[in-house]
Amino acid sequence: MEATELLQALFRWIHIVAGIIWIGHLYFFNFVNAPFEGTLDADTKKKVVPQLRPRALYWFRWGAAWTWITGFLLVLLVFYHGGLMFGADGSWNALSIAMVAVTFLAFVVYDPVANMDFAKNNKTMAGVGFVGVVLVVLGYVAAGFSYRAYVIHLGALFGTLMAANVWMRIWPAQRQIITAIRDGQAPPAEKVALAGTRSRHNVY
């Protein structure tokens, strides 16, 4: 077995295990913990939240990080190094390079859009997101990506958006929320809204 095949096997297993940890905690926060914490009184919440959330968020954010890192390494090995990017007539050109950039830099567009007033309505934001996904897929096809390549790159785009949400929006907001609850204060409403909205986006 070649070294690249060994690396691919290693990265795939880390990718799968880290992804299970990450998405499992994402579902836990949204479907279990949020409803549970809503039943707690202020004194109980002051005791429970500073103990529970930092521990769960540790596995949550590092699961996200290792899922993204190993996914990115797999894209490099399998598609860019392995030559599986294009169909029979495809090759690297300006459009294909641009679509790779879209895959890994989409957060710079998504983030300000997600902060707009209309995005507070999850159904509206979902509609905008669906249109965006369709346009990206059409871009992948026009760039000559193979079916496997554009499916994986779409997954990489989602994973990049989600991991950026975790590290750049959800975790910083949660740190302030946890500190406020620990100190017996009301958490900043804008941070609660931000963390909740981005977490729901990741679920969807």
Side-chain angles (χ1 to χ4, degrees), residues 52-73:
L52 174 64
R53 279 202 211 173
R55 296 176 185 181
L57 285 165
Y58 174 86
W59 291 100
F60 174 67
R61 69 182 187 275
W62 286 107
W66 282 107
T67 302
W68 189 89
I69 290 167
T70 52
F72 180 72
L73 292 172

Side-chain angles (χ1 to χ4, degrees), residues 147-158:
Y147 171 75
R148 182 179 174 187
Y150 84 67
V151 169
I152 290 297
H153 277 74
L154 185 61
L157 185 149
F158 288 152

Side-chain angles (χ1 to χ4, degrees), residues 169-170 173-174 177 190-200:
R169 297 295 175 259
I170 297 172
Q174 284 288 355
I177 293 167
E190 70 279 4
K191 298 301 180 182
V192 173
L194 175 63
T197 297
R198 297 307 178 88
S199 188
R200 283 189 292 275

Side-chain angles (χ1 to χ4, degrees), residues 3 17 41 45 62 74 94 135 152-153 161 166 178-179 197 201:
V17 172
D41 59 50
K45 191 175 290 188
W62 286 107
L74 282 167
L135 292 175
I152 290 297
H153 277 74
L161 291 178
V166 169
I178 293 166
T179 298
T197 297
H201 287 182

Side-chain angles (χ1 to χ4, degrees), residues 126-175:
V128 171
F130 179 78
V131 171
V133 167
V134 170
L135 292 175
V136 168
V137 170
L138 291 174
Y140 289 149
V141 173
F145 286 19
S146 67
Y147 171 75
R148 182 179 174 187
Y150 84 67
V151 169
I152 290 297
H153 277 74
L154 185 61
L157 185 149
F158 288 152
T160 301
L161 291 178
M162 293 171 66
N165 264 340
V166 169
W167 280 92
M168 299 174 66
R169 297 295 175 259
I170 297 172
W171 171 235
Q174 284 288 355
R175 290 173 65 184

